[in-house]
Amino acid sequence: MRAAARIVAEADRSGVTRLAVLRGESPLLLRRTGPRDTTSATVHLVGGAAGPLRGDDLLLEIEVGPGAHLEIRSVAATLLLPGRPAPPSLLTVRATVAGSLRWLPEPAIAAAGCDHHASTAVEVADGGSLLWRDDLVCGRHDEPSGSVRSDVTIRYAGRTLYRHRLTVGPDAPGWSGAAVLGNARATGSAVLAGPGLPVPHLPAEGAAVMALAGPGVLATATGADIREVQAALDPFCAAMPAPV
Amino acid sequence: MSLATLLVLADGRLPAGGHAHSGGFEAAVSAGRVRDLAGLDGFLRGRLHTSGVVAAAFTAAACAAGLEAGSPQPPDPRALLHPTDLHAGSPQPTAPRPIDPRPTAPRPADPWDVFRRRIAELDDGMDARTPSPALRRASRAQGRALLRAGRAMWPVPAAGREPHHPVALGVVAAAAGLDPLAAATAAAHGTVTGPASAAVRLLGLDPYTVQGLIAALAPECDRIAAASAGTANDPVDELPADGAPLLDIGAEHHASWEVRLFAS
């Protein structure tokens, strides 16, 4: 299944964020939620089909103009499934941000046998702000993890701020060793970029909030289950509230 | 390329401060994530396929940049006897340039300018791949120590005061006349030997069995080095970026301790 979706958020003269484009197709369906005519807009991703499954090729493009504030959530966790023998499922997300973007989807769950590649590229203009959260659960209850490769590139003011790849599952040597995830079966990260960054700290044994070399902070957490990860990351994400 | 020179660079006894770092192993032991040989094996495998892959790729790229800029000169024994000369900076091309017959044509780029730009980009690329400030400090401290050791052996060009360790390793390897494949092999191998020797001290593991783990990973190191040599001229954003969440988290917790055996 191939699908593309696109969101363009723009601020009008009165500072209200309008969605100039909100276009999706199954399984990448988009719904505007929350109040209208405010300085920020919220969009929910609604899964329009099972998966992603092997062979799927999904593209989401996001554009946030100067002065616009966009928050993207999802209505439920994404279950990455095996499907028929086929190339890996692909999810490509490309975003350009001049205003502010908060990406706060529910976790992805790597079901046994899945083979999924996620690729994220975010370009934030100088003065823009970004909160980018990604949570991953390695296998459903009591099953081995499928294969997931997640690539993230976040650039700020024309420079690469954060470049990261996480690979888990049977094709990733040592991923369940103590250097990568150890016994943890859930992990999450949140990158905050732009002005007004929080102070680095250590919220839990398996978590840390770290100052990046550039204008950004990374909160990263691991846990036996997703609740431990959420306990460490949710307060961090809540500390950067959406402008109203 | 001289195999003996590669052995000199990859020698664990090279006075470049590597012995002071456990590669995240001390933090992993303290958090109870590693207790035995099987735990060490998983740690080494994960570290090799994340930090090791990145270190090898950036070492190969820095080495290629060094070779591209100019062939290294054999060390001048007189310079080695006068250590003040060793920090003189990059060897500049001394031959006079032929006058360009077309005054309007753009001058060819100075190879050392190209080198410095690429090295700075690679160093930024390591910053972007190292979210933990403690690991950035550890990498730069080891890079600086390695440059110092390298300058005592070969004519190492200026590469910033405190470059990330893989960048320094590549620059020193090029100055030693090694190729990107050899440099990347030393980098990959180095990411497992550090934690392995720390494991012998921290967990009292049998050194013979630990050495067996390192030997078993040698073919993986070779494969990673070969891939790194193939990407040595790629744009920095496209170089490997494999990360290890627990190495980052562990390093931050480790840095907050008041007493520790290893620097990282």
Side-chain angles (χ1 to χ4, degrees):
Chain A
M1 187 178 270
R2 287 176 72 91
R6 182 168 165 79
I7 310 171
V8 177
E10 291 170 352
D12 70 13
R13 261 182 245 163
S14 58
V16 169
T17 295
R18 310 255 175 229
L19 296 180
V21 178
L22 185 67
R23 193 176 62 227
E25 51 187 339
S26 188
L28 277 180
L29 297 175
L30 306 169
R31 293 287 178 270
R32 179 162 190 178
T33 52
R36 306 295 166 107
D37 299 325
T38 54
T39 55
S40 95
T42 302
V43 169
H44 271 80
L45 283 160
V46 185
L53 289 81
R54 281 180 197 245
D56 285 358
D57 187 352
L58 311 177
L59 170 67
L60 173 61
E61 290 177 304
I62 305 161
E63 206 179 305
V64 183
H69 304 283
L70 178 65
E71 175 166 315
I72 301 178
R73 293 181 168 271
S74 59
V75 294
T78 302
L79 185 59
L80 309 168
L81 290 165
R84 64 203 154 79
S89 52
L90 306 176
L91 171 63
T92 307
V93 183
R94 287 200 287 258
T96 54
V97 182
S100 85
L101 172 64
R102 293 158 53 84
W103 170 262
L104 296 165
E106 295 300 307
I109 302 166
C114 79
D115 189 4
H116 181 69
H117 291 185
S119 169
T120 297
V122 186
E123 184 85 48
V124 187
D126 198 5
S129 78
L130 177 76
L131 173 61
W132 194 273
R133 168 92 174 256
D134 271 317
D135 288 1
L136 176 67
V137 181
C138 305
R140 287 170 294 192
H141 182 70
D142 237 2
E143 76 172 2
S145 181
S147 294
V148 175
R149 192 182 85 190
S150 169
D151 251 296
V152 178
T153 306
I154 294 174
R155 290 168 55 81
Y156 193 89
R159 293 168 69 93
T160 304
L161 172 69
Y162 178 67
R163 181 78 185 83
H164 183 79
R165 169 181 284 188
L166 178 67
T167 315
V168 305
D171 302 330
W175 76 276
S176 57
V180 186
L181 290 185
N183 293 324
R185 284 299 165 268
T187 181
S189 64
V191 176
L192 195 52
L197 296 169
V199 177
H201 59 283
L202 302 170
E205 175 69 26
V209 177
M210 304 170 252
L212 299 174
V217 165
L218 168 74
T220 189
T222 59
D225 58 38
I226 194 64
R227 282 184 296 273
E228 285 183 24
V229 170
Q230 288 166 337
L233 296 187
D234 286 358
F236 174 82
C237 293
M240 188 215 171
V244 281
Chain B
M1 198 205 74
S2 155
L3 272 181
T5 302
L6 174 60
L7 294 178
V8 171
L9 183 61
D11 191 338
R13 287 159 295 188
L14 189 76
H19 62 279
H21 296 267
S22 78
F25 197 76
E26 185 175 26
V29 168
S30 159
R33 290 194 275 266
V34 183
R35 294 190 175 85
D36 53 17
L37 199 72
L40 172 64
D41 185 43
F43 182 93
L44 294 180
R45 250 168 232 287
R47 181 166 155 85
L48 177 60
H49 284 274
T50 53
S51 310
V53 166
V54 171
F58 276 72
T59 300
C63 180
L67 294 180
E68 185 67 31
S71 328
Q73 306 298 313
D76 179 350
R78 286 165 307 171
L80 295 180
L81 294 174
H82 299 283
T84 46
D85 296 345
L86 298 178
H87 303 277
S90 76
Q92 297 294 327
T94 46
R97 276 173 205 287
I99 293 162
D100 196 325
R102 299 157 301 162
T104 52
R107 260 187 30 203
D110 177 349
W112 290 103
D113 276 347
V114 175
F115 167 80
R116 279 187 287 271
R117 216 166 25 242
R118 176 72 168 166
I119 291 302
E121 283 172 11
L122 290 168
D123 202 60
D124 287 347
M126 282 304 302
D127 262 352
R129 284 160 180 76
T130 318
S132 154
L135 288 185
R136 289 197 298 275
R137 284 194 300 273
S139 172
R140 291 190 179 284
Q142 291 178 85
R144 184 184 185 181
L146 178 61
L147 281 187
R148 184 179 173 189
R151 289 209 169 97
M153 300 183 280
W154 303 296
V156 176
R161 200 179 72 87
E162 215 170 36
H164 278 286
H165 183 259
V167 175
L169 183 55
V171 169
V172 169
L178 297 170
D179 61 23
L181 177 66
T185 309
H189 178 66
T191 57
V192 294
T193 51
S197 68
V200 172
R201 291 162 71 182
L202 289 166
L203 290 178
L205 296 176
D206 170 32
Y208 295 94
T209 327
V210 169
Q211 204 62 25
L213 293 184
I214 297 175
L217 288 172
E220 300 282 304
C221 291
D222 282 335
R223 272 195 289 277
I224 289 167
S228 303
T231 59
N233 295 308
D234 284 8
V236 172
D237 271 355
E238 289 169 27
L239 291 176
D242 300 83
L246 284 176
L247 287 182
D248 295 330
I249 294 165
E252 289 303 296
H253 284 264
H254 186 264
S256 73
W257 301 356
E258 284 182 15
V259 180
R260 49 186 182 258
L261 202 53
F262 290 90
S264 76

